[in-house]
Amino acid sequence: MRKNLFTLLTAGLVLMLGSCWEGGKPDGNVITGGPGIGIDTATVAKMDLADALESLMADTIFFEKKAPKDDLHSYSYIRQRVNAMYESMDDQTCCSQHYLALRALAEKAAQMRGKTLTSGADLVKNHWTLGDDEDKTNPEWSYRILSVEKVTKNHAEVLVEVKKYYETKLKLILVQERDDWYVDNFDMLTQVGFDATVQVYEEHEVYYNEKEMMENYIVETIEDADEEE
């Protein structure tokens, strides 16, 4: 009995070490050298704001290893993936784990201030439509993919034009994790609007880097809390 138990424990240890080794290989599902997250959004929400931010900025993130899609890096597949995202516009199934954890932390910071992210951190209500949640059912609202750029093993950028009364160019920063592409950031570039003073439509550069805005908001909330103490 003891021998069988030892055999089972040994086999389990070998499997566990094998899984860790696979994840650490260059071709395994591991992202290194940038911000990662090894905790889920529910854990982040319960943690102290400063501790959660520190955990959020860990350097490595491991995912369950699965069979990769053959065409994962083709431009046609990335377009197909982004179109599927716009069909659902669901953050939980379309955004990266790091983005979701950062968003949960920013929402916690907003609650501490007695505000919401849209009022406190000046985020748009819906980053897919760049407007209200109801816009996705508005016949005047539309989007189209302009280009797929800078495709590497774990990174891609997709330029999208969003229309409703005005035209806005939105860059979706994609990362590869869980054997698919997920949005890691929403970065607005330019916006075309009607300038009443000259009676023409003009294109203006705008600043809207959502992750950077959330990170700054969290840090400001932590600093304000420290000053109150």
Side-chain angles (χ1 to χ4, degrees), residues 24-225:
K25 278 185 172 181
D27 60 346
N29 289 353
V30 57
I31 299 174
T32 58
I37 180 66
I39 50 180
D40 58 26
T41 54
T43 304
V44 168
K46 295 176 183 177
M47 292 175 68
D48 174 83
L49 200 61
D51 292 339
L53 181 62
E54 184 177 353
S55 298
L56 195 62
M57 297 306 166
D59 287 335
T60 305
I61 173 170
F62 291 89
F63 302 106
E64 181 183 355
K65 189 173 179 63
K66 300 176 183 177
K69 296 181 176 66
D70 293 336
D71 58 351
L72 195 66
H73 294 84
S74 71
Y75 283 27
S76 60
Y77 178 79
I78 294 173
R79 282 177 172 269
Q80 175 186 329
R81 172 64 173 151
V82 172
N83 280 323
M85 291 177 182
Y86 267 96
E87 285 292 321
S88 66
M89 300 189 197
D90 175 43
D91 287 355
Q92 294 300 317
T93 58
C94 299
C95 293
S96 71
Q97 289 188 336
H98 186 264
Y99 173 88
L100 293 174
L102 182 64
R103 181 95 185 188
L105 196 55
E107 288 174 349
K108 181 176 181 178
Q111 290 174 2
M112 291 172 61
R113 292 170 175 253
K115 297 183 178 181
T116 64
L117 278 182
T118 54
S119 63
D122 296 326
L123 303 188
V124 295
K125 291 183 179 179
N126 187 312
H127 41 218
W128 299 100
T129 66
L130 298 181
D132 296 327
D133 292 335
E134 296 76 18
D135 283 342
K136 56 188 174 184
T137 58
N138 189 323
E140 296 186 11
W141 180 88
S142 65
Y143 84 96
R144 68 186 178 103
I145 298 174
L146 298 177
S147 63
V148 177
E149 306 168 349
K150 300 181 181 178
V151 180
T152 64
K153 182 177 180 181
N154 295 316
H155 176 96
E157 298 179 5
V158 178
L159 189 61
V160 178
E161 183 180 71
V162 178
K163 289 185 177 182
K164 185 197 170 187
Y165 310 131
Y166 45 77
E167 299 173 359
T168 304
K169 290 179 182 176
L170 173 69
K171 183 189 290 184
L172 301 180
I173 308 299
L174 307 184
V175 294
Q176 184 188 339
E177 60 180 49
R178 293 166 282 165
D179 298 305
D180 213 336
W181 294 103
Y182 294 84
V183 177
D184 192 56
N185 200 6
F186 298 80
D187 189 4
M188 195 186 300
L189 301 177
T190 61
Q191 190 172 86
V192 175
F194 186 73
D195 190 331
T197 58
V198 291
Q199 297 294 304
V200 296
Y201 284 90
E202 292 188 343
E203 185 173 48
H204 305 277
E205 289 187 3
V206 293
Y207 179 78
Y208 185 84
N209 184 312
E210 193 160 81
K211 283 184 71 173
E212 184 176 327
M213 292 171 72
M214 289 194 293
E215 289 167 1
N216 291 338
Y217 185 69
I218 294 165
V219 171
E220 289 170 3
T221 303
I222 294 171
E223 290 175 346
D224 290 347

